[in-house]
Amino acid sequence: MMNYQDFFTSALDRLQTERRYRVFADIERKAGQFPQAIWHSPEGPKPITVWCSNDYLGMGQSRDVTRAMVEAAWRLGTGAGGTRNISGTSHPIVELEAELADLHGKEAALVFTSGYVSNQTGISTLAKLIPNCLILSDALNHNSMIEGVRQSGCDKVIFRHNDLDHLEELLQAAGDRPKLIVFESVYSMDGDISPIHAICDLAERYNAMTYIDEVHAVGMYGPRGAGIAEREGAMHRIDIIEGTLAKAFGVMGGYLTGTKAVMDAIRSFAPGFIFTTALPPAVAAAATASIRHLKVSSQEREMQQRQVARAKQVLSGLGLPLMETATHIVPVMVGDAEACKAASDRLLEKHGIYIQPINYPTVPRGTERLRITPGPFHTDAHINALGAALVEVWTALGLPLGTKAQAAA
């Protein structure tokens, strides 16, 4: 008799052997105290400092945002009641989509339940609606974009990461057929930025559509927080801008922005939009409050950038193996899956510092790392404590340190 459980336990055993098994930390955030949180450890609750959150600006604890969510829930209830097609569109979603279209200078926006779904559904639907479409995808695009490309069923080619010569070579080879270039603005593991204007130049030269993922940039870059494309003055050159409500805006959901025709086509043909329950009204109201605040307030962005710069300065001064980035992403390289997990465990258990290990398949084998995301509420004291803890962990585990770090240890 076949034992189906063996299939699953064998798969999990393989993950354990490869040191890729993921352990979730049971964490309780405290509104108004973040990045301080409570870790429910096997020995009981313990206070910790979170250093790897994608709530980049701490907007998830903003009183304006939480108040908007609570008030909307009291007025409108907790759920959306179903899909927008069957149950109707809640007014807070209508307001949210108008706010997002305005943020990115586009005619229309469409909200999804997550950034993953907006990429997966948006790319696949767009490409299917373009006859004989060829998708040109950056080699380091997020899994959600890769899945969108795959599910489109269209021809695809992969261009080397941020390699404009390779992209142009592929565009030339494609000839006159319709083309869709999909890429990100900020790549979240390496923290580098795409050459947006140069990609748009190529798209215009070879008559291709452009689709940019700004999930790790919205809220944090540009005068109103619309992302790198806004900062670079390139939003008007990009056909579709995708983003998330779940990172710097501190809530949940994903979205697309573009022309009315494109957004209406996705609304009308995308299974991932048509057949899924809409965001609850309270979530939409909270996201709108966050976007409106960050459109006019630069304080959070300025504080974050200050603390990011200081964290980089302190950690590099200690000789820790930082990957240089031009963004808020601060990767500390380890280069081994087992050592990366051990470093993360020691930071949490001994120092009360939570930084999740980043291993394959999120990054290539041999490039395992701790991904640090300083925010506006990480104080100078937090940064100093982080530096001291990392030095202790690197020394205890025998990981390579520079001369400054060895002296400090």
Side-chain angles (χ1 to χ4, degrees):
M1 183 176 180
M2 188 176 296
N3 187 343
Y4 285 95
Q5 297 305 308
D6 287 347
F7 297 125
F8 308 116
T9 56
S10 295
L12 292 170
D13 287 344
R14 289 195 299 273
L15 280 182
Q16 294 275 14
T17 300
E18 296 170 6
R19 300 292 188 266
R20 294 197 292 120
Y21 182 76
R22 297 170 189 262
V23 178
F24 294 162
D26 183 353
I27 290 175
E28 184 178 349
R29 289 168 44 130
K30 298 289 186 181
Q33 299 177 29
F34 193 76
Q36 301 304 122
I38 299 297
W39 171 42
H40 291 273
S41 76
E43 291 76 35
K46 296 181 179 180
I48 61 168
T49 304
V50 178
W51 276 99
C52 55
S53 175
N54 283 345
D55 184 1
Y56 292 131
L57 300 179
M59 293 301 292
Q61 65 178 356
S62 161
R63 282 291 172 242
D64 289 343
V65 176
T66 55
R67 185 181 298 109
M69 178 174 281
V70 170
E71 289 177 354
W74 276 118
R75 288 187 297 109
L76 305 171
T78 56
T83 67
R84 293 168 70 174
N85 182 52
I86 291 175
S87 300
T89 294
S90 69
H91 188 62
I93 287 185
V94 175
E95 293 181 314
L96 173 59
E97 288 178 341
E99 205 69 45
L100 289 165
D102 173 78
L103 177 68
H104 293 289
K106 300 298 183 186
E107 292 178 353
L110 198 62
V111 170
F112 295 78
T113 50
S114 75
Y116 194 102
V117 174
S118 57
N119 266 336
Q120 182 185 46
T121 298
I123 293 171
S124 61
T125 304
L126 281 167
K128 283 178 183 177
L129 292 174
I130 303 171
N132 195 32
C133 181
L134 174 69
I135 303 176
L136 300 100
S137 179
D138 188 285
L140 293 189
N141 277 343
H142 189 262
N143 177 263
S144 58
M145 303 177 80
I146 294 169
E147 284 301 313
V149 172
R150 181 180 293 123
Q151 291 176 23
S152 73
C154 297
D155 293 340
K156 70 175 186 300
V157 289
I158 310 299
F159 61 93
R160 290 185 293 272
H161 177 54
N162 281 348
D163 188 329
L164 296 170
D165 291 336
H166 191 213
L167 176 57
E168 182 165 21
E169 177 185 324
L170 295 172
L171 286 165
Q172 285 178 332
D176 293 333
R177 69 185 296 186
K179 298 170 284 291
L180 175 66
I181 304 171
V182 296
F183 63 108
E184 300 182 42
S185 61
V186 174
Y187 288 84
S188 64
M189 290 301 120
D190 290 353
D192 59 337
I193 295 173
S194 61
I196 297 176
H197 275 297
I199 290 174
C200 289
D201 289 343
L202 290 176
E204 291 169 7
R205 188 177 308 155
Y206 295 98
N207 195 24
M209 284 189 73
T210 48
Y211 177 111
I212 191 170
D213 173 317
E214 286 257 42
V215 297
H216 290 280
V218 290
M220 293 174 289
Y221 300 96
R224 298 200 305 162
I228 298 293
E230 182 192 29
R231 188 187 74 177
E232 303 298 318
M235 288 197 299
H236 65 287
R237 304 187 68 189
I238 299 169
D239 294 297
I240 300 101
I241 297 177
E242 186 266 352
T244 184
L245 306 169
K247 292 182 170 60
F249 293 130
V251 192
M252 177 185 175
Y255 64 87
L256 299 170
T257 63
T259 64
K260 289 180 180 178
V262 170
M263 294 301 104
D264 197 18
I266 295 171
R267 181 190 69 85
S268 301
F269 288 95
F273 177 83
I274 295 169
F275 296 107
T276 193
T277 298
L279 283 182
V283 172
T288 299
S290 183
I291 294 164
R292 286 174 177 167
H293 175 84
L294 290 174
K295 278 181 178 179
V296 297
S297 173
S298 62
Q299 180 181 8
E300 292 81 5
R301 289 188 281 275
E302 291 169 358
M303 289 172 62
Q304 184 204 34
Q305 289 163 12
R306 176 191 180 277
Q307 295 310 86
V308 168
R310 189 172 191 282
K312 289 178 178 179
Q313 180 184 36
V314 168
L315 300 186
S316 63
L318 291 170
L320 290 156
L322 264 63
M323 177 187 288
E324 290 189 14
T325 74
T327 63
H328 59 283
I329 309 294
V330 184
V332 182
M333 304 304 293
V334 180
D336 177 84
E338 192 164 357
C340 197
K341 179 67 167 63
S344 174
D345 289 346
R346 189 174 180 89
L347 281 168
L348 185 59
E349 294 162 5
K350 183 177 176 61
H351 299 282
I353 288 174
Y354 176 54
I355 309 174
Q356 186 73 354
I358 306 295
N359 293 334
Y360 177 85
T362 306
V363 295
R365 286 187 175 91
T367 67
E368 292 83 3
R369 67 199 66 179
L370 299 177
R371 176 182 175 273
I372 298 170
T373 53
F377 300 109
H378 286 106
T379 65
D380 291 356
H382 285 141
I383 294 171
N384 293 337
L386 172 66
L390 284 169
V391 169
E392 190 281 330
V393 168
W394 249 244
T395 303
L397 298 180
L399 298 173
L401 286 166
T403 54
K404 291 181 182 178
Q406 288 169 352

